[in-house]
Amino acid sequence: MSGLLPLILLAYYANAADIAQFSGTATLVGTVVDNENNEPVGWCDFYLPEIKRFGRADEFGKFFVSNLPAGEYTLFVRRIGYREWNRRISLLPGDPIRLAVKMTLTPVKLAEIVVEEKANRMATTSQTPVLDLSGERLRSTMATTLAATLENEPGIALRTMGPAPARPVLRGLSGDRLLLLEDGSRTGDLSATAADHAVVIDPMNAERIEVLRGPAALRYGSNTLGGVINSIRENIPNPSVRKLHITTSTLIESVNRDVSSGIDAVVPLPYQVTGRINGNLQSADDLKTPIGFLQNTATNTSHAGIGISGRTPWGSVGTAFNEYHSEYGIPGGFIGAHPSGVRIKLYRNRIESQVQIFDFQQWIRQIEIKAIRTRYYHAEYEAGGFLGTEFGTVQYDGSLDFHWRQNDPLRNGLLGLAVEQREYATGGFVFSPPARERKASVILYQEHSHNQWTLTGAARFDFNEIKPKEQRISARIGKLSQRQFSEFSGGITVDRALTSKWTATITGMRTHRSPGIEELYSEGPHLAAYSYEVGNPELGSERAWGGEVGMKYMTQDSRANLTFFWNEIDAYIFPRNTGLLNPRTLLMQYQYTGYDARMCGGEAAWEKTWGRWQTMTSASYVQGVFRETGSPMPQIPPLSGKLTLKYQSIEWSASATVYGAWKQTRTAEFETSTSQYLSGDWRFQYQVPWRATLHTFTLSVENLLDTDYRKHLSRVKSIMPEAGRNVKLFYRMYF
């Protein structure tokens, strides 16, 4: 961290000490309120046509724009349901220009505004994500892992073996049934295959984190029954940026003496070229719980990246490189665990390139070409530095997307082609053979709107070939031979606006998932997972049918949604605890098996604003059973929920949250139950613009009463509860 702090201090003080060198720029700070009651109006779009700068206010109607050239401009502010606001403004260098924008309600229905920016951005659909964390909301939940950042969102739980290898679980689904993406591409790590494998996404530099479900999720994979979590950070920078932007972040936590610092800089270069450089360092000690320390959970992580992009007469081209290193511990002491725990060291490096071609043909809005190479390696060490297990992969991904032009009533259509090749190898005391996996996909996506109806559909065909480099007969698992899988999948969502406030949604999905290399050919001890894993070369594909119905309610001061879902999964693949100890390793033996399963549940959320006060509450529930026996599926989270009361002023906010879960007694064989719990957090946020910078502070006290509680999806719950009282400070500066 010592090498990164000087860069942060230099970036900050160079700006603060000699702001005169940027004397030709101005800063605009605004708040949008309702003309009748002066309540905030969130998510308004604003636009300065003279310099083609546009953006969106946050949920509390606040917006901040820096590095504006001094001069006379017209500011437009728009939001559906309100009359357009515009005013001539004068921007002068120096202190920020502050505006109070008062919007007037109008019954006039505004036409849809479509902005097509020819920039180096990942093309996305207009379908609203089920969760979109950005700005103030992302800062308020920021943590050192992706899973901890999303922990208290509706429908999301955590699968953990300590703080570092935490992975999100959505509606009871994780692993390869819940895709984790970075800028719309797969991460190339092995976090989906075992609970001890960490996710290599660093949320500190994320601009936005979104959750997609339904047809929009099928764009990224056939096995997206759980959904997609996409961390958007734009490793390849936007070539349209022509001003220097620097963001610095610092996170300090008391519960494990964690200190994390990061910097992200977007630098305009000559000849319409833009560069980006970012990095992050984290150091944390063992986690403190209400009854003691969870030993061997210290973490050290570093991440650095560099990217460059440029405009051309026909589009844009860019490339980026980033590298991620981490060392973390898996605690010992619970059933089947190594007495002293295990240390894991991993690294991932990634090279990605992207080409965008605009206005290729009359009917093609954009062509996007991506190529990515990812190398991943991790090793697991017993006490004393003895190597027990190691994994390594080299993965190549390529995609070609054709985006159709907007042509009412058709919107956001695309035809996509994707290929993937992964080389997989193991070492140490694992006897799984090296293998090669190849995939090819064709994807068709389309949206259609007519009056109060919106239809979203996706269809894809996938081919997958898995070939062990050594084809042989194993006495334990059978014949190791080449396997091929091919399948169609698809989905459709129908949205119907019933009134100006109510919308009904129905979704139907048909997905499939091919077994992975590990599920087919694993043979041997997995040290950090404390299991002896036995593959099944005869496994077939999972096939699932899913349905979802929901209602949404939205007014200016309140919103609510209620959703029910039902999934029927044929040949659900999971490592079944056999109850037997492997005689050579004394580890519990897990056999990969496919059973027919059913999962159903629901989610509810409600928000209400009274002036500066806001109440937010949510709850989620999922139940999973094996259809043939009616017995519970393993690792299903219990009923959970939260309630938040928040006070919001112009520059600061304070909130208190109570959250908890019901007991989970519907457990699989050899799985332990957990009791109900209730805990709470307190949070204070403050932001202040100063000259050309914006400074934001988030002070949180988590597990306020130092409550001793256990989460059902924690593998270490038998020896230690969750983290104790944690005082956390997150500071971020925007320049």
Side-chain angles (χ1 to χ4, degrees):
M1 180 176 173
S2 59
L4 186 60
L5 281 175
L7 292 176
I8 299 173
L9 295 173
L10 178 63
Y12 178 80
Y13 286 113
N15 169 64
D18 192 13
I19 198 70
Q21 63 177 311
F22 302 105
S23 60
T25 64
T27 301
L28 177 63
V29 180
T31 303
V32 186
V33 298
D34 189 288
N35 191 43
E36 294 285 336
N37 52 31
N38 285 323
E39 292 183 358
V41 179
W43 312 122
C44 296
D45 295 312
F46 61 87
Y47 183 46
L48 297 166
E50 291 87 352
I51 53 175
K52 295 182 172 56
R53 289 290 294 272
F54 59 90
R56 174 169 290 184
D58 66 16
E59 58 187 307
F60 302 107
K62 294 182 292 185
F63 60 88
F64 174 90
V65 191
S66 61
N67 298 315
L68 293 170
E72 295 278 337
Y73 303 104
T74 303
L75 174 65
F76 291 86
V77 182
R78 301 179 178 123
R79 191 186 191 282
I80 294 177
Y82 285 87
R83 183 177 296 117
E84 179 183 87
W85 183 97
N86 66 81
R87 180 174 296 174
R88 195 71 178 170
I89 60 174
S90 297
L91 297 181
L92 302 175
D95 292 334
I97 290 86
R98 299 176 182 271
L99 286 177
V101 178
K102 294 189 175 184
M103 303 285 284
T104 302
L105 279 168
T106 176
V108 177
K109 183 178 178 181
L110 300 179
E112 181 182 14
I113 302 170
V114 179
V115 179
E116 292 191 7
E117 182 191 8
K118 296 183 178 181
N120 189 31
R121 293 181 178 271
M122 182 188 69
T124 59
T125 71
S126 65
Q127 181 170 332
T128 303
V130 295
L131 173 66
D132 192 344
L133 288 182
S134 61
E136 183 181 27
R137 189 175 178 187
L138 178 58
R139 294 194 300 269
S140 70
T141 61
M142 182 61 68
T144 54
T145 66
L146 177 69
T149 301
L150 298 171
E151 180 175 9
N152 286 322
E153 299 300 331
I156 295 180
L158 265 67
R159 182 192 73 184
T160 66
M161 290 187 74
R167 196 177 200 275
V169 176
L170 184 58
R171 292 183 172 178
L173 295 170
S174 188
D176 276 338
R177 302 173 189 91
L178 172 61
L179 295 187
L180 302 184
L181 306 176
E182 195 172 41
D183 285 342
S185 301
R186 303 193 183 216
T187 61
D189 62 25
L190 293 177
S191 64
T193 62
D196 62 296
H197 297 175
V199 177
V200 298
I201 294 177
D202 179 5
M204 286 282 283
N205 288 327
E207 296 183 5
R208 191 169 86 250
I209 299 173
E210 63 181 14
V211 177
L212 297 169
R213 283 202 294 262
L218 276 173
R219 289 184 51 195
Y220 304 101
S222 64
N223 52 340
T224 54
L225 188 63
V228 166
I229 298 178
N230 187 22
S231 174
I232 300 171
R233 55 185 301 162
E234 290 192 352
N235 289 314
I236 300 175
N238 183 346
S240 297
V241 175
R242 304 317 307 154
K243 295 290 183 180
L244 175 67
H245 294 281
I246 298 175
T247 304
T248 65
S249 305
T250 301
L251 177 67
I252 302 173
E253 297 185 83
S254 66
V255 75
N256 55 357
R257 291 191 290 184
D258 184 298
V259 179
S260 302
S261 292
I263 186 169
D264 181 74
V266 180
V267 184
L269 300 172
Y271 306 108
Q272 292 190 310
V273 174
T274 302
R276 183 174 211 138
I277 184 169
N278 57 67
N280 184 56
L281 293 175
Q282 180 207 3
S283 177
D285 292 339
D286 289 342
L287 186 73
K288 185 179 180 180
T289 78
I291 64 172
F293 285 90
L294 184 58
Q295 300 294 332
N296 195 42
T297 53
T299 303
N300 289 283
T301 298
S302 62
H303 171 265
I306 186 170
I308 191 168
S309 64
R311 281 192 173 277
T312 70
W314 41 264
S316 67
V317 60
T319 189
F321 171 82
N322 64 78
E323 187 153 320
Y324 183 98
H325 290 257
S326 184
E327 180 183 351
Y328 60 92
I330 303 295
F334 57 91
I335 296 175
H338 193 283
S340 302
V342 173
R343 296 296 295 177
I344 293 180
K345 296 181 180 180
L346 67 83
Y347 79 84
R348 183 202 70 166
N349 62 46
R350 179 184 179 96
I351 302 173
E352 54 185 310
S353 298
Q354 180 175 276
V355 176
Q356 292 183 323
I357 304 171
F358 303 112
D359 301 326
F360 181 72
Q361 293 287 344
Q362 185 177 358
W363 49 280
I364 297 180
R365 172 170 59 92
Q366 177 181 321
I367 297 177
E368 186 175 53
I369 306 168
K370 282 186 178 182
I372 301 172
R373 176 192 179 274
T374 306
R375 185 182 181 192
Y376 175 86
Y377 171 80
H378 104 207
E380 303 171 2
Y381 297 90
E382 297 183 34
F386 180 75
L387 177 64
T389 307
E390 59 181 343
F391 299 90
T393 65
V394 178
Q395 183 170 314
Y396 301 89
D397 295 273
S399 64
L400 173 62
D401 291 339
F402 299 89
H403 298 265
W404 319 133
R405 288 193 181 278
Q406 310 285 24
N407 182 20
D408 283 338
L410 300 179
R411 303 183 303 172
N412 296 302
L414 71 84
L415 171 66
L417 309 174
V419 293
E420 177 186 317
Q421 177 172 302
R422 181 166 69 122
E423 303 284 347
Y424 172 90
T426 61
F429 288 94
V430 177
F431 310 113
S432 305
R436 171 180 293 167
E437 184 174 19
R438 290 174 172 168
K439 297 180 180 179
S441 308
V442 181
I443 307 103
L444 183 63
Y445 179 89
Q446 184 66 68
E447 298 177 16
H448 169 80
S449 292
H450 180 69
N451 294 332
Q452 290 81 22
W453 296 87
T454 300
L455 278 72
T456 306
R460 61 182 293 143
F461 174 79
D462 291 86
F463 173 80
N464 186 14
E465 177 186 86
I466 302 177
K467 183 178 181 180
K469 293 187 177 179
E470 179 187 354
Q471 301 193 33
R472 56 183 172 84
I473 302 294
S474 168
R476 181 173 295 275
I477 69 173
K479 184 179 180 181
L480 279 64
S481 60
Q482 177 178 321
R483 299 292 307 277
Q484 292 183 347
F485 307 90
S486 58
E487 199 82 37
F488 285 94
S489 54
I492 186 169
T493 293
V494 180
D495 291 298
R496 173 65 160 87
L498 304 177
T499 68
S500 60
K501 300 177 181 179
W502 288 94
T503 302
T505 301
I506 300 176
T507 297
M509 295 276 287
R510 200 273 191 186
T511 67
H512 82 94
R513 173 180 173 269
S514 303
I517 294 174
E518 302 84 355
E519 295 164 329
L520 291 172
Y521 307 128
S522 288
E523 184 181 4
H526 188 168
L527 185 65
Y530 307 124
S531 60
Y532 191 96
E533 298 174 353
V534 180
N536 183 351
E538 302 302 319
L539 286 173
S541 294
E542 284 184 11
R543 297 178 177 87
W545 293 89
E548 178 179 323
V549 294
M551 291 289 292
K552 298 178 183 178
Y553 173 82
M554 182 178 295
T555 66
Q556 291 300 319
D557 58 4
S558 63
R559 64 179 64 187
N561 65 74
L562 178 64
T563 304
F564 298 98
F565 65 90
W566 184 288
N567 298 322
E568 298 283 344
I569 309 173
D570 296 336
Y572 178 89
I573 301 171
F574 71 104
R576 182 178 64 86
N577 189 337
T578 64
L580 303 174
L581 286 177
N582 181 268
R584 290 182 296 172
T585 63
L586 299 182
L587 292 172
M588 195 66 70
Q589 187 165 296
Y590 288 79
Q591 170 73 58
Y592 282 100
T593 310
Y595 288 168
D596 295 344
R598 175 180 298 119
M599 303 182 75
C600 58
E603 296 151 5
W606 175 70
E607 297 180 14
K608 175 68 175 178
T609 301
W610 292 276
R612 295 190 180 277
W613 290 92
Q614 186 177 27
T615 301
M616 297 165 282
T617 184
S618 63
S620 57
Y621 175 73
V622 60
Q623 183 183 102
V625 298
F626 292 114
R627 298 204 302 260
E628 185 175 346
T629 62
S631 58
M633 297 171 64
Q635 296 289 290
I636 299 296
L639 170 68
S640 62
K642 70 172 183 177
L643 172 64
T644 298
L645 180 64
K646 183 175 184 178
Y647 179 83
Q648 177 74 47
S649 75
I650 299 299
E651 295 182 334
W652 63 272
S653 67
S655 64
T657 300
V658 177
Y659 57 89
W662 191 242
K663 61 185 178 182
Q664 180 58 289
T665 56
R666 292 181 53 82
T667 56
E669 192 177 15
F670 308 113
E671 185 181 10
T672 58
S673 60
T674 45
S675 302
Q676 65 266 25
Y677 68 85
L678 194 67
S679 187
D681 298 342
W682 174 86
R683 181 171 290 112
F684 175 81
Q685 287 189 284
Y686 179 73
Q687 63 182 37
V688 54
W690 183 70
R691 297 190 177 180
T693 60
L694 175 67
H695 302 265
T696 67
F697 303 85
T698 303
L699 177 65
S700 307
V701 183
E702 300 172 337
N703 194 3
L704 188 63
L705 301 180
D706 204 31
T707 305
D708 179 345
Y709 68 96
R710 324 271 167 142
K711 291 185 177 179
H712 188 68
L713 301 190
S714 168
R715 289 281 299 273
V716 300
K717 60 180 180 285
S718 61
I719 59 169
M720 281 289 172
E722 294 299 309
R725 184 184 296 112
N726 182 30
V727 180
K728 182 167 70 174
L729 175 65
F730 181 60
Y731 164 70
R732 175 166 282 177
M733 184 272 290
Y734 300 91
F735 165 72

